[in-house]
Amino acid sequence: MPPPSISQEKQRRDGNPAQEKEKDLSGEDTEDSTSPPRFPPEEEAASNGLFSSAKYESAITKYEEAAAICPHYLDYELAVLKSNVAACHLKLQQYKEAVKSATESLDGLSRSEKALLESVEKPRQDVQEDETGEEDEVEEIVSAGAKKSAPAIAEETEAQQTLRRRQDDIRRIRAKALMRRARARSELGGWSDLTGAEEDYKTLSAMANLTSADEKIVRAQLRALPPRVKAAQEKEMSEMWGKLKDLGNGILKPFGLSTDNFQMIKDEKTGGYSMNFNQNASSQ
């Protein structure tokens, strides 16, 4: 993949001067200036302009159009677009769609990172294979003093710099996508979604590239979520047992019985349960 142009690299470092970065209620950045190299700059500017103008639905359309023309193998570029789409859905309070887009972004970043690592490992394997054919060569003996006076390690090559920048970019977009998915899951509020939000925030807490604002949000959410998860779990379990009870009553009613005739008794010593039948319990 070709390295980013000078203008692209400047935007990556300094942000897009033509747009104003907004902060949503979670404190996260809601706009990424990176775009696929085959996505025309004027289209990128149009998409970002729509977002900055709070025309989120139109921005989603533009980002989706960009994703449609972006080659499928450009996982990183597609991941950036999907992360931007997630930011738009958050603004529109379309939380399920935000979770979906952020997850697609994270999946794309994982594929991009895997391909990046494979591209690094392949040259190393080739070097190792070349070295196996040099076993008969005479090794030069170098004294300890000569080793100490050896020249310093060379600076990064252009390829190494490009690789490091791409790794940094992947981490940056991963943090944004995780923040967006975690917030969307938290807003959805179900047991499963709250559990997922807690997992996302735990992942974020271990990342070293968060802004101070994001770190504050992550810490606050990790304090607030456990009781919310527990309350949602108890609520859903209660609802489930209520539905099972209604089902059981429907089955037992023809026999003049109800679930009230059956009582679950917990054995405090073993922690197990036993069922007692009470003939005199009132039927429902």
Side-chain angles (χ1 to χ4, degrees), residues 128-139:
Q128 289 175 352
E129 291 175 0
D130 292 341
E131 288 176 349
T132 58
E134 300 175 357
E135 294 178 354
D136 295 335
E137 294 183 3
V138 177
E139 181 179 356

Side-chain angles (χ1 to χ4, degrees), residues 28 90 94-99 179-189 193 197 201:
E28 59 189 280
L90 275 177
Q94 298 170 343
Y95 299 122
K96 288 185 178 180
E97 293 82 356
V99 169
M179 288 292 293
R180 289 163 184 170
R181 187 173 72 175
R183 184 192 164 198
R185 284 174 161 177
S186 179
E187 293 288 351
L188 286 171
D193 288 309
Y201 282 122

